[in-house]
């Protein structure tokens, strides 16, 4: 399941920017430290129950992982496993001139049905510049183990997919 930034149900203290092209969303969201604490919400329909990896297409892995993610009011856990470097894109390639890529994110056990994802920047941390293009929910193959293959990642954006 891929959620574009323009599909967010609530956005606070983030700047909406037009996409320069080759992004998932026609409108990108950028943290804005001068405007207060960034907040972003999505509603998503999950097709089947299981453990999900919740990842972002963004400009910074370490930056975006500063957000605290809650799913239906419960905190999601950061995605961690041996060999994972959250500073490195999962795809190892940027797909936009804004240097956007897919980064590791969080894990959550989800039931089939509708869920609310809430991304809040911690009030005690200075806001880093992060551009968010999309959020993907990928079902993990086994509990506690992430499987990343080219087929498991959302397709690269093209101007026609906007």
């Amino acid at each position: 399941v891929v959620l574009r930034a323009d599909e967010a149900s609530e956005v606070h203290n983030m700047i909406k920017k037009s996409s320069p092209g080759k992004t998932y969303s026609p409108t990108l969201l950028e943290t804005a430290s001068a405007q207060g604490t960034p907040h972003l919400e999505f509603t998503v329909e999950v097709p089947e129950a299981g453990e999900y990896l919740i990842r972002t297409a963004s400009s910074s892995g370490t930056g975006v992982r500063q957000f605290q993610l809650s799913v239906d009011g419960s905190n999601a856990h950061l995605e961690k496993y041996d060999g994972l470097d959250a500073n490195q894109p999962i795809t190892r390639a940027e797909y936009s001139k804004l240097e956007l890529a897919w980064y590791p994110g969080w894990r959550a056990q989800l039931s089939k049905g509708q869920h609310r994802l809430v991304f809040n920047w911690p009030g005690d941390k200075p806001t880093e510049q992060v551009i968010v293009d999309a959020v993907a929910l990928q079902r993990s193959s086994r509990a506690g183990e992430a499987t990343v293959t080219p087929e498991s990642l959302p397709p690269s954006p093209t101007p026609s997919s906007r």
Side-chain angles (χ1 to χ4, degrees), residues 16-142:
K16 293 181 180 182
K17 300 174 67 165
S18 292
S19 167
K22 290 197 172 186
T23 60
Y24 294 88
S25 180
T27 303
L28 306 174
L29 300 173
E30 183 176 347
T31 55
S33 59
Q35 294 185 1
T37 305
H39 173 93
L40 180 60
E41 291 187 29
F42 291 93
T43 300
V44 61
E45 189 72 29
V46 173
E48 62 183 303
E51 182 181 45
Y52 281 80
L53 301 173
I54 302 167
R55 296 169 166 169
T56 60
S58 61
S59 60
S60 168
T62 52
V64 81
R65 284 168 54 105
Q66 296 299 310
F67 276 103
Q68 294 173 336
L69 172 61
S70 68
V71 180
D72 302 327
S74 297
N75 288 334
H77 301 285
L78 285 174
E79 180 181 351
K80 294 180 184 178
Y81 52 89
D82 290 341
L84 176 70
D85 182 351
N87 299 319
Q88 295 297 314
I90 295 168
T91 54
R92 304 289 184 240
E94 296 163 347
Y95 63 82
S96 165
K97 65 182 176 182
L98 295 175
E99 299 179 355
L100 302 173
W102 287 99
Y103 286 96
W106 301 264
R107 292 181 173 279
Q109 192 70 34
L110 302 176
S111 60
K112 179 180 177 177
Q114 192 174 76
H115 296 276
R116 185 170 161 235
L117 308 179
V118 178
F119 295 83
N120 279 309
W121 198 272
D124 62 341
K125 292 187 178 181
T127 305
E128 295 180 31
Q129 182 187 21
V130 178
I131 297 171
V132 177
D133 182 16
V135 175
L137 282 75
Q138 299 171 291
R139 191 147 188 259
S140 181
S141 63
R142 287 183 259 165

